[in-house]
Amino acid sequence: HCFNNSDWTLIVLLTGVLLLTLSYFSLRQGDLPKRSRNAALALRAAAIILLGLSLLEPMWLSSRPKTGANIVAVLADNSQGLNLRLDQKDSRYGDILKERLQDASAQSFRTLSEEYQTRFYQFDSQLKRIPDFTKLDFSGTSSRLSHSLSQLKSRFSKQPFAAAIVATDGNATDIDLESFEAEGHPPVFFVPSGFEEAPEDVSLKNIRVTQTPFDDSPVSIKASIAASGDFSAKTSISVSRIAIDDEITVEEEAQSPAEQTVTLTPQTPNKTLSFDWKPYGSGLQFYELKAETEEAALDASSENNRRVVMIDRGQEAFRILYVSGRPNWEYKFLNRALFEDPQLQMVGLIRVAKREPKFEFKGRVGESSNPLFRGFGRDDETQQYDQPVLVRINARDEEELRSGFPKTEEELFEYDAIIIDDLEADFFSYSQLSLVRRFVSERGGGLLLLGGADTLEDGGYQKSPLSPVLPVYADGPSDFIHNDEFQWSLTREGWVEPWTRVHPNEIDERLRLQDMPQFKVANTLPQIKPGARTLATLENKSGQTFPGLVAQNFGSGRSACVPLGDLWRWGLGKKTEQEDLSKFWRQLSRWLVTDTPPRVQIIAESDKEDGSIQIEISARDETFQPIALGQASVSIKRITLEGEESQETTFSQIQLSADPISERMGIYRASFSSKAPGPYVAEAKVVDQDGKLVGTAQTGWIIDPNIDEFSSLQINRALIEEIAEKTGGAVLDWNQLDTLSDRISKLPIQETETVAKPIWHNGLYFLFALGCLLGEWAIRRKRGLA
């Protein structure tokens, strides 16, 4: 409040005091009761005060939004989620939304624009300013609501941003109830548009891909298929392989899992299906899951009936070095088992005769080599008298393992795992044992130690550099027993680990354990190391239990110990037992090599902020040390799905250079952005400073915005109500748009103006003063006064 004519304040006060004094003495002289006199005096005083204030011109001050200063943004969802049919008719919710927005632009928004700067936007994957809503086509592949609101806040950070009005179905693809942060956001008013109740629709949800060490079923896809509304029909779900470079071969097509059919009804709207199979080949593979229903007209959207998954089958072949102290049957069954797996290649180095430093048999004069090799044309491999006689099996070429067990990092680190069978520590030099330790801890390889007469404590490993790598204490009080009988059984942890089981179900596995033969050659190890896991046990006739399979992680790699010297007995029985033994060896070998890193690795991750793909490449030399001076490049290819239109408007393959990261030696990074949906394959290539190829690596990803965009087809009221409440806005119906101007004016607007309204310039004001004078006159007249 204020007075516009405050210069008259003193005159008004003096005049008011004078008039009030005269009124007091005038009424006191009359013959009025005290109560009536006081009432008459109060009425006359009120009239004098009101008339005196009118001379000062009192004003009522108030603030209101400054006309045309504050910004109100109107956002329309332009995503495909609003382009669904309404009640199986030709009309779509997108058309209805566009019509409503155009009507509102002509009426409600016109009123709003008289007081505010009204700006129109459309949003899907990006926020875009538009002159009006006539060109909405609802073709966006995502609804990035949080991103759009954040962009508006950033754009108008230094301007008075009053409110945002959003027309959407609330199915945002970049936000949920838990992740939304309302701090700094302007009030958001939502006008929901879409299905209030879920329409008749069938969709694929919760796709989960797992790769298991099971030899007969290494890949499993679990998919949930769900129906909404009153949907009721048979639905077929198929899994088909997507060609990357060439057409799908007959072998690849034959390996695809069989189609499955389910019947969905309102009573049973959800079913979970499992596809288990062994894909053909190695490397990256993409598979398409497709749901097709007999009643296609009932399906509100076909965009959520199709999903693409990626499976990484690893490198073409993992190389395993097998070293044995003597020819034995263990190698026979192990070699036969791994030969059946195209991804496992085992190279054998078997000692057929120990070192004989005192061997006195001499050959010809001047001959220093063992004459047993004479005549076999192997002069370059002749063994010295004081060296063991070694035989190479499955060697890659004439140079591999020519000089025996590897002595350098370059030779040993090219393998992915090492198996040591019945071999004493003295067979290796101290530097070789240290090299094996580094092979596990730094290179990340796998090590398996098998039992026998010349291993573990009897092999002298307790004081060797390899002792810390083993999952058992080799210097404990253990015995080598070859005249007892031991029964193999799984521990609780062994039942949990899939690679220690041979059969996928518990009943068959228990029957298999019961039929296993009794083993007679074992190293009884009473203690395992902290952090190691006992996955299988050996129990003798006396009821004593000893570890049968122990595993642990060590550095970047892993190690395991099977203290049995005659596991081959398992394969001497029925054909099924031979198959079980082969499967066990393959699963154990796959566990050894599964996480063994190659020299070149590539990882691709999606950036949640802008949706770009961040590619990171790591490169190591032959000794697995980071390559400081190298160059990395990435070739990215997009795969065309069956039935997809030509990619003439998009790229099919692109080359990117990866920049080295200064703070992390041997690491290179590149960034890639694309809105085109589909599977992508990225191949990294690294060369050293001399231009020599270090290696290549592949990775892939899938851009599928439909997963989030069509995860729900009805209005997500919970989300929009939560956002509206946190920001101080509201959820309105279309018929409430006329109240927007009044609602926004009550918000804490940043830019306001002061409005002064004269209080005295009001007929009621003077009527009240006149009423006071008339009331005082009535009291006097009632008592007969003038």
Side-chain angles (χ1 to χ4, degrees):
H1 301 77
C2 69
F3 296 96
N4 194 36
N5 195 14
S6 57
D7 295 340
W8 284 47
T9 303
L10 182 60
I11 298 174
V12 169
L13 286 175
L14 293 175
T15 304
V17 171
L18 177 62
L19 292 175
L20 289 174
T21 303
L22 294 174
S23 298
Y24 174 75
F25 285 107
S26 173
L27 291 173
R28 189 173 182 182
Q29 293 176 0
D31 187 15
L32 288 175
K34 184 177 181 181
R35 186 174 180 180
S36 298
R37 183 173 66 246
N38 290 340
L41 182 61
L43 290 172
R44 182 179 291 187
I48 293 172
I49 292 173
L50 289 173
L51 293 174
L53 287 176
S54 65
L55 295 175
L56 298 179
E57 297 184 14
M59 309 293 289
W60 180 275
L61 299 181
S62 62
S63 62
R64 69 177 184 184
K66 188 175 181 179
T67 303
N70 297 287
I71 298 173
V72 173
V74 183
L75 288 75
D77 192 343
N78 193 48
S79 65
Q80 295 179 10
L82 285 165
N83 206 17
L84 299 176
R85 292 173 297 176
L86 174 63
D87 298 331
Q88 310 303 324
K89 299 178 181 178
D90 292 336
S91 59
R92 300 177 183 271
Y93 265 113
D95 300 329
I96 297 174
L97 175 60
K98 184 191 295 187
E99 183 179 348
R100 286 175 172 176
L101 286 172
Q102 290 173 348
D103 291 342
S105 298
Q107 301 175 16
S108 304
F109 295 157
R110 180 182 298 174
T111 303
L112 198 65
S113 62
E114 292 176 357
E115 297 184 17
Y116 302 94
Q117 292 186 44
T118 307
R119 302 185 182 181
F120 298 150
Y121 297 87
Q122 70 178 36
F123 74 95
D124 38 58
S125 59
Q126 297 293 333
L127 181 68
K128 181 180 179 181
R129 177 81 181 269
I130 55 177
D132 51 49
F133 298 109
T134 57
K135 294 186 178 181
L136 291 176
D137 57 4
F138 306 101
S139 60
T141 56
S142 59
S143 302
R144 300 184 67 190
L145 176 60
S146 177
H147 173 76
S148 300
L149 292 176
S150 298
Q151 275 201 323
L152 285 176
K153 183 184 69 172
S154 177
R155 290 183 186 183
F156 304 137
S157 59
K158 297 182 180 180
Q159 300 181 57
F161 190 9
I165 304 168
V166 185
T168 179
D169 59 0
N171 291 311
T173 59
D174 64 342
I175 193 173
D176 52 38
L177 288 174
E178 290 75 19
S179 65
F180 179 72
E181 296 181 1
E183 184 178 357
H185 276 287
V188 182
F189 294 87
F190 286 97
V191 187
S193 179
F195 289 101
E196 289 289 348
E197 300 293 336
E200 293 182 350
D201 181 64
V202 62
S203 61
L204 289 170
K205 298 178 179 292
N206 303 325
I207 309 298
R208 186 164 57 93
V209 181
T210 57
Q211 298 189 61
T212 69
F214 283 116
D215 180 72
D216 57 349
S217 181
V219 173
S220 176
I221 296 181
K222 292 191 180 299
S224 297
I225 183 166
S228 60
D230 296 328
F231 182 89
S232 180
K234 283 187 177 182
T235 304
S236 300
I237 301 91
S238 61
V239 178
S240 58
R241 186 165 175 175
I242 301 172
I244 295 180
D245 295 317
D246 304 318
E247 295 183 356
I248 300 297
T249 63
V250 177
E251 293 83 357
E252 294 171 342
E253 190 68 33
Q255 291 293 334
S256 298
E259 181 181 281
Q260 299 186 37
T261 302
V262 296
T263 300
L264 301 174
T265 64
Q267 291 73 33
T268 56
N270 299 292
K271 293 287 183 67
T272 300
L273 306 176
S274 179
F275 297 90
D276 303 306
W277 83 104
K278 183 178 180 180
Y280 180 85
S282 59
L284 290 179
Q285 299 179 10
F286 294 95
Y287 289 84
E288 182 183 37
L289 278 75
K290 186 184 297 184
E292 296 181 340
T293 178
E294 292 180 347
E295 301 292 339
L298 297 178
D299 199 5
S301 172
S302 61
E303 301 295 337
N304 51 16
N305 298 5
R306 188 177 186 178
R307 296 283 290 274
V308 178
V309 297
M310 182 184 74
I311 297 171
D312 189 354
R313 296 286 292 159
Q315 61 196 58
E316 283 191 15
F318 295 93
R319 308 199 74 227
I320 300 174
L321 175 58
Y322 173 87
V323 189
S324 176
R326 59 175 58 85
N328 57 35
W329 283 18
E330 211 71 83
Y331 173 78
K332 170 186 176 181
F333 288 98
L334 177 57
N335 184 54
R336 181 187 298 172
L338 301 192
F339 183 78
E340 298 176 8
D341 193 326
Q343 286 187 271
L344 297 176
Q345 295 180 0
M346 189 175 72
V347 181
L349 186 64
I350 302 175
R351 183 178 62 187
V352 296
K354 290 187 177 182
R355 182 165 60 96
E356 295 289 349
K358 295 181 180 181
F359 185 34
E360 297 179 356
F361 184 88
K362 295 182 179 180
R364 297 167 182 171
V365 177
E367 187 178 40
S368 62
S369 61
N370 193 328
L372 294 175
F373 285 92
R374 189 188 305 142
F376 287 94
R378 299 171 62 182
D379 296 337
D380 58 342
E381 290 193 27
T382 54
Q383 305 292 317
Q384 301 296 323
Y385 284 115
D386 60 346
Q387 296 296 324
V389 179
L390 303 175
V391 175
R392 300 179 301 153
I393 303 177
N394 298 333
R396 179 179 51 204
D397 50 40
E398 291 296 328
E399 298 298 324
E400 186 175 19
L401 303 176
R402 174 188 294 230
S403 58
F405 191 84
K407 300 180 178 62
T408 63
E409 297 160 327
E410 291 84 354
E411 291 179 293
L412 185 62
F413 286 9
E414 69 173 280
Y415 298 99
D416 299 292
I418 302 173
I419 299 176
I420 299 176
D421 181 15
D422 200 2
L423 189 62
E424 70 278 2
D426 288 343
F427 171 81
F428 307 95
S429 66
Y430 186 89
S431 61
Q432 285 176 323
L433 290 174
S434 300
L435 192 59
V436 174
R437 177 175 175 173
R438 290 188 52 216
F439 171 82
V440 179
S441 62
E442 297 179 18
R443 191 257 185 271
L447 174 66
L448 174 63
L449 194 68
L450 301 180
D454 295 329
T455 189
L456 296 173
E457 184 184 21
D458 294 329
Y461 286 96
Q462 60 270 26
K463 295 182 180 180
S464 73
L466 206 57
S467 178
V469 185
L470 303 180
V472 296
Y473 288 106
D475 54 354
S478 62
D479 295 320
F480 174 69
I481 300 175
H482 56 84
N483 56 2
D484 202 347
E485 291 186 349
F486 298 90
Q487 181 64 45
W488 177 282
S489 61
L490 296 178
T491 64
R492 179 178 297 179
E493 287 186 296
W495 280 103
V496 173
E497 287 289 348
W499 60 273
T500 59
R501 306 191 309 267
V502 175
H503 297 286
N505 60 76
E506 183 179 352
I507 297 177
D508 292 342
E509 186 68 6
R510 291 192 181 278
L511 293 176
R512 190 270 300 178
L513 291 171
Q514 294 176 5
D515 294 338
M516 284 188 72
Q518 302 287 320
F519 300 106
K520 298 182 179 181
V521 180
N523 300 84
T524 58
L525 305 168
Q527 292 183 337
I528 66 171
K529 292 182 179 179
R533 299 174 297 152
T534 301
L535 303 171
T537 58
L538 299 172
E539 184 177 354
N540 62 9
K541 292 181 178 180
S542 302
Q544 294 176 298
T545 302
F546 307 98
L549 173 58
V550 188
Q552 74 167 3
N553 295 326
F554 184 80
S556 300
R558 53 182 59 178
S559 64
C561 177
V562 180
L564 275 177
D566 59 343
L567 193 62
W568 47 267
R569 294 183 187 275
W570 188 2
L572 296 181
K574 302 179 293 185
K575 182 179 180 180
T576 55
E577 292 179 343
Q578 296 176 14
E579 294 174 351
D580 289 346
L581 176 59
S582 296
K583 194 177 297 184
F584 172 80
W585 277 127
R586 285 192 293 271
Q587 293 179 180
L588 179 55
S589 300
R590 279 187 173 274
W591 175 82
L592 283 174
V593 303
T594 294
D595 294 326
T596 305
R599 290 176 57 189
V600 177
Q601 290 180 284
I602 179 172
I603 300 174
E605 294 182 348
S606 176
D607 191 323
K608 295 182 179 180
E609 295 295 328
D610 57 8
S612 64
I613 303 296
Q614 301 301 316
I615 301 172
E616 183 174 289
I617 304 168
S618 61
R620 297 177 181 271
D621 57 19
E622 294 178 345
T623 65
F624 267 73
Q625 297 302 312
I627 296 178
L629 301 176
Q631 294 182 346
S633 60
V634 185
S635 175
I636 301 176
K637 179 180 180 180
R638 176 173 175 259
I639 311 302
T640 305
L641 299 178
E642 182 181 355
E644 184 179 349
E645 297 180 358
S646 174
Q647 298 185 47
E648 294 179 358
T649 58
T650 63
F651 75 94
S652 58
Q653 193 162 349
I654 190 172
Q655 295 284 340
L656 299 176
S657 61
D659 300 323
I661 305 302
S662 57
E663 62 271 16
R664 296 176 60 190
M665 187 178 298
I667 303 297
Y668 306 82
R669 285 181 183 167
S671 181
F672 169 76
S673 296
S674 176
K675 298 178 182 179
Y680 290 77
V681 176
E683 182 174 2
K685 179 182 178 181
V686 181
V687 297
D688 59 17
Q689 57 183 345
D690 299 325
K692 181 181 178 181
L693 180 64
V694 176
T696 61
Q698 274 191 343
T699 189
W701 61 87
I702 300 164
I703 297 179
D704 191 357
N706 288 341
I707 294 177
D708 295 324
E709 182 64 28
F710 293 94
S711 61
S712 176
L713 303 184
Q714 65 184 106
I715 297 174
N716 189 351
R717 282 197 170 271
L719 178 64
I720 60 179
E721 287 176 356
E722 180 79 9
I723 296 176
E725 180 182 355
K726 286 184 177 181
T727 59
V731 178
L732 307 176
D733 293 331
W734 286 97
N735 55 14
Q736 294 179 298
L737 289 180
D738 293 336
T739 66
L740 271 173
S741 181
D742 183 57
R743 289 174 181 268
I744 296 175
S745 65
K746 296 178 181 178
L747 297 173
I749 306 297
Q750 297 183 29
E751 192 75 23
T752 59
E753 60 183 359
T754 302
V755 179
K757 185 177 181 180
I759 299 176
W760 62 274
H761 200 279
N762 192 330
L764 294 177
Y765 182 91
F766 289 100
L767 285 176
F768 184 72
L770 180 61
C772 292
L773 292 175
L774 291 175
E776 185 263 348
W777 175 77
I779 293 175
R780 286 188 295 106
R781 292 298 296 167
K782 187 177 181 180
R783 295 295 178 180
L785 299 178

